[in-house]
Amino acid sequence: MKRAFWGNPDIELKSNWVRIPSARRKNYTDKHGIQQKQIESLLAAVYPWLENAPIRLLAAVVDKQQMEARYKEPHYSGTVAYTVFLQRLQKYAAKVNATANVVFDDPAGKSPGGFDWRDLLLRLHAKLLKHGCPYTRTTFDRIGTLTFTDSTASPFVQIADQVSYNVFRQFRDHGDAWEDDSLKNLPMYKYFQLMIDMFDQGPSRQFAGFGVTKWPIDKKVQWVVTG
């Protein structure tokens, strides 16, 4: 797809570069001569491709402010997000009778505490596999290895980056609606809506609590895919 629209399959599709004018100019226009119209054409083709690809999406969302207000000693939001994501992956893998490995965009560098991000994630992954989820007691017998890759070399990580931003925008723009059972329809960020049918779903096409999970949550509303 990048070869067709940009003439080079090795150029990275990165959410920040696509959205932020200065980053778009620096990384696409100045560096590769790619104009806004070419970027828009590629993005317009990504969603129909995703819809027909053998891919299922999973997302875990953590409301940091809500968590800090609820818990006296809240866990680090990144740790919670990875744990909740692994819950979803475990349930999906069990549903399709598979084992799932995790490939993570390489988090080069160190945490504010001076620890290597890769080491912290590997330790967390190993701990969860050994002891299970500390919140739900879910065991992770369907989860395999955690490895890291450079996003520039992985089209799937680049797609995951687009998905992550769209989920972020959905909750930034319409976060309050997620738990509002007075609404007939969930308002959606337009690009989140374009990929809503690609998320894992329950038996009645529910994506809330299946493909997209929020933590913490006060009121579960079973939003479903319509149309």
Side-chain angles (χ1 to χ4, degrees):
M1 193 177 294
K2 287 187 286 184
R3 187 191 301 277
F5 289 99
W6 294 353
N8 186 343
D10 298 324
I11 299 172
E12 183 171 6
L13 174 62
K14 198 171 183 69
S15 179
N16 285 347
W17 296 355
V18 166
R19 293 181 296 102
I20 301 171
S22 59
R24 185 167 61 237
R25 207 164 38 245
K26 176 183 176 182
N27 293 285
Y28 292 132
T29 306
D30 294 348
K31 192 172 183 180
H32 299 288
I34 298 171
Q35 303 300 322
Q36 178 67 18
K37 186 175 180 180
Q38 292 168 282
I39 295 171
E40 291 173 355
S41 296
L42 183 136
L43 290 175
V46 162
Y47 293 95
W49 174 83
L50 264 179
E51 192 173 2
N52 291 288
I55 293 173
R56 271 286 171 260
L57 304 179
L58 301 168
V61 178
V62 173
D63 187 318
K64 186 176 179 181
Q65 291 182 333
Q66 191 177 353
M67 187 171 62
E68 290 176 348
R70 174 181 289 194
Y71 300 106
K72 200 169 188 179
E73 295 181 359
H75 290 172
Y76 174 61
S77 57
T79 298
V80 178
Y82 188 78
T83 302
V84 176
F85 162 73
L86 227 59
Q87 291 175 13
R88 295 299 98 204
L89 186 59
Q90 165 70 24
K91 289 182 180 298
Y92 180 74
K95 183 166 72 173
V96 298
N97 193 27
T99 298
N101 298 318
V102 179
V103 179
F104 205 98
D105 188 9
D106 193 350
K110 296 183 182 297
S111 72
F115 298 99
D116 188 285
W117 282 119
R118 297 187 197 95
D119 290 343
L120 289 174
L121 279 165
L122 286 167
R123 284 162 54 190
L124 173 61
H125 187 84
K127 181 180 179 180
L128 291 170
L129 264 58
K130 183 177 181 179
H131 299 291
C133 175
Y135 313 120
T136 64
R137 303 304 173 192
T138 299
T139 56
F140 297 114
D141 59 306
R142 294 281 181 169
I143 305 299
T145 60
L146 165 64
T147 57
F148 303 102
T149 188
D150 187 337
S151 60
T152 59
S154 174
F156 287 109
V157 170
Q158 292 172 40
I159 290 295
D161 177 58
Q162 300 298 310
V163 173
S164 295
Y165 178 74
N166 292 345
V167 173
F168 163 76
R169 276 294 300 271
Q170 171 63 25
F171 280 84
R172 193 189 77 175
D173 295 356
H174 308 293
D176 291 343
W178 192 257
E179 299 179 55
D180 189 347
D181 59 4
S182 70
L183 297 174
K184 291 184 178 180
N185 296 295
L186 178 70
M188 294 190 194
Y189 172 60
K190 62 179 181 178
Y191 292 109
F192 178 81
Q193 186 169 19
L194 283 174
M195 63 186 190
I196 195 62
D197 203 26
M198 304 168 217
F199 285 99
D200 182 37
Q201 299 167 19
S204 299
R205 302 189 76 195
Q206 312 99 314
F207 61 88
F210 287 84
V212 185
T213 300
K214 175 184 175 291
W215 184 279
I217 192 159
D218 295 318
K219 186 179 292 185
K220 294 182 179 180
V221 183
Q222 293 202 328
W223 298 112
V224 301
V225 176
T226 59

